[in-house]
Amino acid sequence: MAAAFLGSVALRAVRGLRGLRGRTARSATGLRGLLGPRRGYARGPAESSPTFGFLLDVDGVLVRGHKVIPAALDAFSRLLNPQGQLRVPVVFVTNAGNILPHSKAQELSSLLRFKVDPDQVILSHSPMKLFSHFHRKRMLLSGQGPLVEIARSLGFQDVVTVDELRVAFPVLDMVDLERRPKTTPLQRNDFPAIEGVLLLGEPVRWETSLQLIMDVLLSNGSPGAAQARVPYPHLPVLASNMDLLWMAEAKMPRFGHGTFLLCLETIYRKVTGKELRYDGLMGKPSTLTYLYAEDLIRQQAEKRGWAAPVRNLYAVGDNPMSDIYGANLFQQHLQRRRRGQAQDPGTGGLWKQQSSGTQSCISILVCTGVYSPQDLGTTELGEEPLFHGHRDFSFSPGLMEASHVVSDIGEAVQLVFQQEGWAG
């Protein structure tokens, strides 16, 4: 039911688009049967200088959970030359956040059967490297995986995990009866105040994370102390990955970090009567993430010695609410930039735009993940589509309309090559 609901909502957003259904070649010559990963890219002369590049989503486009989508192998048989090098610049733009870039690159290398380098991967939290004015603050970390290592790789030097905070103040976590302290612990007065909150991805124990994050915000960073009033504005909050839902092996979409953020925002508003505010929201569909990706595309082209500027970016995704919305939002940014009217992408002036020849960002929606066209008959004509995007991104149906709708990533690559006049 959830899959049908989400598919129908997405379909309403993209109704009227022309579906492109070309025959996808199924040969994956040069990929199957390899003994090991081939090199993704290297310095040296290229077969030609491409003037376009790809921004590829991962979940629902290339993989479903831990299984590669067969069309992805077909796509990379076209994207790689006989030496195993990419023929055009490619950056993987994923809203995953509970992992390090080099680990994600290794994972993709294994699944796609060619060498993916860490500087070809953008995770939802990657742009946090730009927020240097928070890097020396004592930050509370929420998420899972190698949290401390991730935070340090982004530049944060003084961090505390939710689990560490719970150990320091055991009486704060009271939902699970089995985890409640059996005796009343001594009050701690030596715990340094927390100065901000870093939300990297969905945590495991939501009730614990929600409670302790609220405690930190309501106590101005000193959860062991009583507060006479609720501080507002509250401590700085940085968050990455706004996806409400995402697609894995299950037939229906799974909760994403956007669902956790929605819970936190709702609780904060209900308790305080005020809105939770973010000092930075990263990951798709934020323009900052696409600017970051554009810069990696430029660097990749320079490493390969491609002299021609990359003019067209093709963003391929499965989620109209993040992938398509974000690509189209970036297209609007590029249009304003050409007119000299580009706005700061939410970094407070930290982003320094490099020289770029990018003229357009074309959105391509695939049907192998969150979006599915099969539920056309389940919606009523004229019914207002629901918006599954984040609260801080205004609802605009036009931004969720993909430039092209195709079956899978194989058809997407074939389409782009045809439009760019490249042999596939």
Side-chain angles (χ1 to χ4, degrees):
M1 180 176 179
F5 169 75
L6 185 58
S8 62
V9 169
L11 188 57
R12 279 174 278 166
V14 298
R15 181 168 289 141
L17 298 176
R18 293 182 300 169
L20 299 174
R21 296 292 182 269
R23 186 172 71 88
T24 304
R26 298 302 174 188
S27 170
T29 304
L31 279 176
R32 296 179 176 86
L34 293 179
L35 295 177
R38 295 189 293 179
R39 187 66 189 169
Y41 63 87
R43 296 181 183 273
E47 57 184 283
S48 60
S49 291
T51 58
F52 65 99
F54 286 92
L55 308 180
L56 301 181
D57 182 32
V58 176
D59 293 301
V61 175
L62 305 176
V63 301
R64 288 279 294 268
H66 296 288
K67 296 181 179 179
V68 66
I69 294 173
L73 299 181
D74 171 57
F76 279 93
S77 72
R78 297 169 181 269
L79 289 170
L80 296 174
N81 65 20
Q83 291 73 44
Q85 297 176 332
L86 285 167
R87 301 169 62 197
V88 300
V90 174
V91 168
F92 301 92
V93 187
T94 173
N95 269 352
N98 293 313
I99 192 171
L100 289 158
H102 73 265
S103 298
K104 193 65 178 180
Q106 290 173 354
E107 179 184 301
L108 289 171
S109 297
S110 176
L111 290 168
L112 300 176
R113 305 178 190 173
F114 86 100
K115 182 66 167 63
V116 176
D117 287 338
D119 57 2
Q120 290 176 277
V121 176
I122 294 181
L123 301 169
S124 60
H125 49 60
S126 295
M128 286 188 181
K129 294 177 181 178
L130 300 172
F131 289 75
S132 56
H133 52 303
F134 293 111
H135 288 172
R136 293 183 180 274
K137 292 184 180 293
R138 186 169 170 82
M139 304 292 286
L140 177 66
L141 297 181
S142 173
Q144 57 183 291
L147 281 179
V148 174
E149 192 177 355
I150 291 172
R152 296 200 187 286
S153 74
L154 296 170
F156 295 93
Q157 302 172 26
D158 189 2
V159 294
V160 179
T161 67
V162 168
D163 285 341
E164 289 171 339
L165 185 63
R166 177 185 171 276
V167 170
F169 300 97
V171 297
L172 300 181
D173 186 19
M174 302 296 284
V175 172
D176 189 340
L177 297 178
E178 295 297 322
R179 298 199 338 153
R180 288 184 182 180
K182 306 306 179 186
T183 59
T184 302
L186 295 175
Q187 180 73 29
R188 286 195 59 172
N189 299 314
D190 60 342
F191 195 83
I194 292 170
E195 301 173 282
V197 178
L198 198 57
L199 307 174
L200 294 178
E202 57 270 27
V204 175
R205 285 182 170 268
W206 286 30
E207 79 283 358
T208 299
S209 294
L210 289 169
Q211 178 69 75
L212 270 63
I213 292 169
M214 284 294 298
D215 288 336
V216 166
L217 294 176
L218 297 178
S219 67
N220 206 33
S222 300
Q227 293 292 321
R229 62 182 182 83
V230 175
Y232 199 83
H234 53 69
L235 293 174
V237 178
L238 299 176
S240 62
N241 185 357
M242 297 164 271
D243 283 350
L244 188 76
L245 303 166
W246 68 288
M247 205 69 187
E249 290 99 338
K251 302 299 182 182
M252 295 185 293
R254 305 292 88 197
F255 289 157
H257 192 220
T259 304
F260 179 82
L261 297 180
L262 177 61
C263 293
L264 180 62
E265 293 157 7
T266 303
I267 294 170
Y268 187 88
R269 184 174 63 250
K270 191 70 173 179
V271 170
T272 68
K274 298 178 172 63
E275 294 292 338
L276 180 73
R277 298 300 180 189
Y278 297 95
D279 290 75
L281 271 173
M282 280 138 278
K284 296 174 291 186
S286 77
T287 296
L288 178 58
T289 293
Y290 287 84
L291 284 167
Y292 206 86
E294 178 194 25
D295 198 45
L296 289 190
I297 288 283
R298 178 188 59 80
Q299 293 178 34
Q300 195 176 136
E302 288 179 356
K303 288 181 179 180
R304 286 297 300 274
W306 289 323
V310 176
R311 301 191 179 281
N312 300 322
L313 296 177
Y314 292 88
V316 185
D318 69 306
N319 191 336
M321 311 292 173
S322 59
D323 300 314
I324 304 307
Y325 188 109
N328 291 337
L329 194 65
F330 185 53
Q331 169 67 6
Q332 291 184 352
H333 175 85
L334 292 174
Q335 292 171 343
R336 290 193 298 268
R337 192 167 75 185
R338 288 200 299 272
R339 298 193 299 265
Q341 301 171 345
Q343 300 173 342
D344 181 78
T347 66
L350 291 176
W351 175 259
K352 304 302 181 185
Q353 179 63 51
Q354 302 292 325
S355 176
S356 172
T358 308
Q359 297 181 350
S360 66
C361 182
I362 299 97
S363 56
I364 303 178
L365 182 64
V366 298
C367 304
T368 49
V370 168
Y371 171 75
S372 173
Q374 64 187 8
D375 304 304
L376 176 61
T378 64
T379 60
E380 306 241 348
L381 289 175
E383 188 177 342
E384 182 71 14
L386 293 174
F387 180 53
H388 286 175
H390 188 267
R391 176 201 69 186
D392 291 358
F393 289 78
S394 60
F395 173 52
S396 176
L399 288 176
M400 293 184 288
E401 294 181 359
S403 301
H404 305 284
V405 181
V406 297
S407 294
D408 52 43
I409 182 62
E411 282 194 14
V413 171
Q414 183 180 21
L415 166 69
V416 172
F417 277 12
Q418 288 173 349
Q419 294 209 336
E420 294 289 338
W422 270 53

